[in-house]
Amino acid sequence: MTVRTVLQATDMQRALTRIAHEILESNRGVQDLVLLGIPTRGVTLAHRLADILSTIVPGTRVPVGSLDVTMYRDDLDQQPTRTTSPTDVPVSLDGATVVLVDDVLYSGRTVRAALDALTDLGRPNIVRLAVLADRGHRELPIRADFVGKNLPSAHDERINVHLVEHDGVDLVEIDSGE
């Protein structure tokens, strides 16, 4: 098995800081901004982005929530059922700028499910997507607005995102499975 580390802790922090600045610039501040992480690692990354935003704009705290998309997926019959996570939306989404946060963007199907889930929760003014890694291979016409790192990879490779909060270390690897 060949595993190659492509981002280490400092690279991840730099990428998240850049994403936070890009979010601020595109939104012209933190007004009406809500970060919704897609479980599991997307929620952790959303909290990290909120922490970075609060250091960039002192005295503010961007609301952070989680958006479980399990029951909105179109591949439930093809994959084992995943345990659902709680959806937690801390504020009304009506008229808000929602930034969906996930660790890896691949086919786009998880994001499509997230967009469907959002329609049950309110009507945001704008929905954006922030991902730590974009590996390509889209099956749907979805793209990220904010990308930490583009990681072109083969279909049979896997991108593994490790976060201190879950795995005890911050790093991103490409696993070729060989």
Side-chain angles (χ1 to χ4, degrees):
M1 172 168 46
T2 305
V3 178
R4 182 171 42 107
T5 300
V6 290
L7 292 174
Q8 296 189 8
T10 55
D11 304 316
M12 290 173 64
Q13 181 63 29
R14 188 172 28 257
L16 291 172
T17 300
R18 183 173 31 78
I19 289 171
H21 281 281
E22 290 173 357
I23 290 170
L24 280 174
E25 185 176 325
S26 74
N27 196 55
R28 295 185 177 98
V30 295
Q31 183 76 19
D32 299 322
L33 186 62
V34 179
L35 302 177
L36 291 181
I38 298 172
T40 299
R41 285 166 177 75
V43 175
T44 303
L45 293 171
H47 281 284
R48 287 189 186 187
L49 283 169
D51 291 343
I52 295 167
L53 289 166
S54 69
T55 62
I56 297 169
V57 184
T60 63
R61 185 67 188 170
V62 173
V64 178
S66 63
L67 181 65
D68 183 68
V69 302
T70 303
M71 300 313 294
Y72 293 89
R73 295 189 62 90
D74 63 2
D75 59 357
L76 286 175
D77 61 337
Q78 298 169 4
Q79 295 183 6
T81 305
R82 298 171 13 167
T83 304
T84 58
S85 300
T87 290
D88 173 32
V89 180
V91 296
S92 171
L93 300 181
D94 293 334
T97 297
V98 173
V99 178
L100 295 173
V101 182
D102 206 2
D103 56 352
V104 178
L105 176 58
Y106 181 38
S107 68
R109 294 189 178 277
T110 299
V111 176
R112 189 222 33 95
L115 293 170
D116 286 349
L118 272 179
T119 63
D120 286 347
L121 299 172
R123 189 174 191 287
N125 189 37
I126 298 171
V127 178
R128 305 246 190 256
L129 176 61
V131 297
L132 181 60
D134 183 345
R135 65 175 292 189
H137 303 292
R138 222 68 82 236
E139 296 172 5
L140 299 171
I142 290 174
R143 68 168 177 81
D145 299 281
F146 315 107
V147 177
K149 180 84 170 167
N150 286 298
L151 296 174
S153 57
H155 280 288
D156 61 349
E157 292 179 318
R158 181 164 175 80
I159 305 293
N160 298 317
V161 175
H162 300 279
L163 301 176
V164 166
E165 296 87 342
H166 303 277
D167 311 300
V169 65
D170 279 341
L171 61 92
V172 178
E173 305 169 319
I174 297 178
D175 183 348
S176 65
E178 296 176 349

